[in-house]
Amino acid sequence: MIAQQTVTLSTPNDTENAGSAPTLIDGFGRRIDYVRFSVTDRCDFRCVYCMSEQMKFLPRAQILTLEELTALGQAFVELGVRKIRITGGEPLVRHNVLWLFQQLGRLRERGLAELVLTTNGSQLERLAVDLKAAGVARLNISLDSLDPARFRRITRNGDLKTVLRGIQGAQAAGFQRIKLNTVILKHRNHDEVVDLVQFALDNGLDISFIEEMPLGEIGDHDRAEAYYSSDEIHADLAQVFELIPTTETTGGPARYYRIPATNSRIGFISPHSHNFCGDCNRVRVSAEGRLLLCLGQENSVDLKHTLRAYPGDQERLKQAIISAMALKPRGHDFQLDGQPVILRHMNHTGG
Ligand code: SAM
Ligand code: SF4
């Protein structure tokens, strides 16, 4: 059910908020200061939990242009958004995407605190230096296995060595606090959690384990059977490492632990076992310009229509974003059994 709630945008003109920056608040009182842009639905990998083998990608004309994405970034920042994450699909396979990073990087002078990127790492060796120069503050890099054959099976065509060189390239370019994102599937890679954490520790990386979410038809495996909960991963790790809970946050849904005498954070993103909707601070824009108010619900607004029907009208764009806040639902409704409730794949949504 769509929640129709009162939505507020505090502006410097409000008596109560005089002097403060604008803030997007949804109908449940949550402050929305984080947006993720999926800048393409295409990818050079076909990860089994994300895509089906025969994916149909959107025609190019249906994808937001880099100029439209820049206009959107500006509108969100003027509405008080502090963090923009670029994701996809694989954002770094989009032609000329560096230009977008350069434009969005400039928004740091206008209130953007962090421009960040989620990538599969395949293009990082080539692009890391330029991304750093454009103002990208932090990287999340997906890595599900350290075994080349397994890595290829999970990504269907990814090359582990290339990704590892990409991680090294990013470190050499000066990126700090790189975080690995790891989706754990039972009988695919659940026996690698200790090795993956050790790899993170050895290389000064953070790592977050993500429970698979039922987004889109994938055809590869039964999601209920492949489910391996954060609690199971935690128990496996606790046999080898001392895990100390922390209250640290990177502004996302992960719960973090530290291992004494190391600098790495071990995170768990647990949409099934530890619902994180209560403090959701984010919205997403799909590759085709739909403002998605929740990862796990269909509530959305077509911002591409606004961008194309009224080019250059930033006020109208901002108004469309403000009105959309009323559609943000209280939370997702992921079920492990049965068909996915959400038919769009993660590459459209932007993970
Ligand atoms: N291609 C980039 C990458 O893989 O990092 C960015 C896009 S990808 C959709 C973003 C993140 O979503 C990745 O860490 C991926 O592992 C995760 N992901 C994709 N499908 C998922 C699913 N069904 N459940 C949980 N995480 C998923
Ligand atoms: Fe591509 Fe990322 Fe999806 Fe894997 S998870 S198929 S790398 S978009």
Side-chain angles (χ1 to χ4, degrees), residues 82-243:
R82 307 261 305 145
K83 177 168 169 184
I84 298 179
R85 177 173 299 281
I86 301 302
T87 177
E90 175 46 42
L92 299 185
V93 299
R94 176 144 187 191
H95 181 64
N96 213 14
V97 76
L98 262 182
W99 181 86
L100 175 66
F101 283 103
Q102 286 156 357
Q103 303 309 308
L104 297 177
R106 292 199 186 133
L107 295 173
R108 288 173 303 159
E109 292 153 25
R110 303 171 69 169
L112 179 66
E114 273 198 308
L115 175 61
V116 294
L117 164 67
T118 301
T119 173
N120 65 22
S122 68
Q123 312 296 315
L124 268 183
E125 193 180 15
R126 179 172 62 86
L127 290 175
V129 169
D130 291 335
L131 289 165
K132 185 88 180 109
V136 174
R138 284 187 297 114
L139 300 177
N140 287 356
I141 305 176
S142 299
L143 183 70
D144 299 328
S145 176
L146 292 166
D147 174 86
R150 250 189 197 188
F151 185 85
R152 187 169 291 278
R153 266 201 304 281
I154 293 175
T155 58
R156 289 203 184 95
N157 55 17
D159 177 44
L160 176 64
K161 271 200 189 127
T162 309
V163 172
L164 296 181
R165 282 202 308 271
I167 296 173
Q168 277 171 0
Q171 290 185 312
F175 281 102
Q176 311 271 327
R177 297 235 73 100
I178 294 173
K179 187 175 77 152
L180 302 177
N181 272 344
T182 304
V183 176
I184 292 296
L185 304 177
K186 197 190 241 164
H187 303 314
R188 291 282 176 114
N189 62 348
H190 81 268
D191 55 348
E192 270 195 79
V193 294
V194 168
D195 290 348
L196 284 157
V197 166
Q198 192 59 53
F199 175 82
L201 299 181
D202 292 345
N203 291 283
L205 307 163
D206 292 338
I207 183 166
S208 277
F209 292 101
I210 309 174
E211 290 177 348
E212 185 186 11
M213 295 174 235
L215 299 172
E217 292 276 6
I218 48 167
D220 176 81
H221 55 265
D222 179 327
R223 278 178 160 136
E225 266 170 39
Y227 177 59
Y228 201 69
S229 72
S230 293
D231 291 347
E232 289 171 286
I233 300 170
H234 184 283
D236 295 345
L237 294 177
Q239 297 201 10
V240 179
F241 304 107
E242 189 186 349
L243 295 172

Side-chain angles (χ1 to χ4, degrees), residues 105 159 271 301 324 330 337 351:
D159 177 44
V301 166
R330 187 186 288 276
D337 36 7

